[in-house]
Amino acid sequence: MKLPESNAPSLFDRRAVALHRARAQDEALFLHRATVDEVQDRLSMVNKTFTAPAIVTPFAHIWREVIPEAEFVPDDEVLALQPGTHDLVIHAMALHWANDPVGQLIQCRRALRPDGLLLVVCLGGETLHELRAALGEAEIEVTGGLSPRIAPMAELRDLGGLLQRAGFALPVADTARLTAEYRDILHLMHDLRAMGEANSLSGRLKQPTKRQVFARAQQLYADNFQTLERRLTATYELICLTGWSPDDSQQKPLRPGSAKTRLADALGTKEGKLSN
């Protein structure tokens, strides 16, 4: 089935995303490995055996040792997933680079069989808030302006709402935070490049940044987010989404007024009158 053309604005330069990922270094992909652990933990709590999994990921080799039987597809704008083929789809550390995240989720739902599970892990809005604050304040002070440097990432509530918009049943969204430490701001930015997570915004600055901006950002970062060991802390927020492809066998919420037991009886108390 051919998907309709997306009207979503191109916030991200997908060619730049691909180039940055091509230069990624395996030893720097600790967030992707943390995602594997998170997914395994969540699947262990699901009382169901999955026989036809698919994994949307830019780094398939990280998953092959864990779920070798899965079909691996890149996170292109149009996912290479056949409708109704899978009972499990894992969208791993890629949704935060999607120009049309709702479209990505809809494609995943179409790829699922009835009562199939979607599990998404992506970066959330608290990610790199320290770097965002330091660079922003430094650039304003030094240049008098502000350029797009760190991608805006969705908040937990917003991503949970996307699951419902995409038609998933029983949606759940929660978060886990990881903290890393770096020698200085240049060490942090080097690590982001090694992860393939460097700035890929379409509106990013296309000319070199003044050294004074980074020098001032380093000072601000250290003033506000330095450990006792004089290292800089950086937050990575992993947002985890789960949703099920609708099926008649799933639990349905009761209609208002359909309860057969009074709350007072269940609590073992007497029901009193409301007073003015």
Side-chain angles (χ1 to χ4, degrees), residues 48-53 85-89 111-113 115-117:
K48 184 172 182 175
T49 300
F50 299 101
T51 59
T85 304
H86 303 284
D87 55 6
L88 169 67
V89 173
L112 286 168
R113 300 168 184 169
D115 202 35
L117 175 64

Side-chain angles (χ1 to χ4, degrees), residues 73-140:
V73 300
D75 62 312
D76 297 331
E77 301 285 13
V78 177
L79 301 175
L81 295 172
Q82 295 300 314
T85 304
H86 303 284
D87 55 6
L88 169 67
V89 173
I90 300 168
H91 202 298
M93 277 293 291
L95 193 66
H96 54 276
W97 287 122
N99 281 314
D100 184 11
V102 176
Q104 291 275 300
L105 296 178
I106 290 173
Q107 291 178 71
C108 290
R109 179 177 57 77
R110 290 178 177 173
L112 286 168
R113 300 168 184 169
D115 202 35
L117 175 64
L118 171 71
L119 214 165
V120 178
V121 182
C122 63
L123 292 178
E126 288 297 309
T127 298
L128 299 177
H129 68 87
E130 306 94 341
L131 180 62
R132 190 191 308 273
L135 275 176
E137 185 173 343
E139 189 171 22
I140 290 172

Side-chain angles (χ1 to χ4, degrees), residues 140-256:
I140 290 172
E141 286 185 16
V142 173
T143 70
L146 187 64
S147 58
R149 294 185 177 274
I150 300 176
M153 298 175 195
E155 301 295 333
L156 180 66
R157 179 182 299 178
D158 298 328
L159 286 170
L162 294 188
L163 283 175
Q164 293 180 308
R165 287 179 58 190
F168 282 95
L170 309 174
V172 176
D174 56 55
T175 184
R177 286 178 175 81
L178 303 177
T179 302
E181 295 183 0
Y182 297 92
R183 292 188 307 272
D184 51 39
I185 198 170
L186 294 180
H187 181 202
L188 168 54
M189 290 189 288
H190 179 272
D191 205 30
L192 292 174
R193 287 194 294 270
M195 295 180 203
E197 298 286 339
N199 188 357
S200 297
L201 287 162
S202 296
R204 67 191 182 280
L205 194 67
K206 302 295 176 65
Q207 61 195 41
T209 299
K210 293 181 178 181
R211 291 183 180 180
Q212 299 96 309
V213 171
F214 292 124
R216 179 57 178 149
Q218 168 65 30
Q219 183 180 8
L220 291 166
Y221 207 133
D223 288 345
N224 293 281
F225 307 108
Q226 187 170 255
T227 69
L228 295 176
E229 292 76 25
R230 301 180 66 83
R231 294 177 67 82
L232 304 183
T233 59
T235 299
Y236 298 96
E237 182 185 27
L238 298 182
I239 290 184
C240 306
L241 310 174
T242 57
W244 294 84
S245 180
D247 184 69
D248 291 339
S249 65
Q250 293 165 350
Q251 289 183 322
K252 304 292 190 301
L254 294 175
R255 296 189 306 275

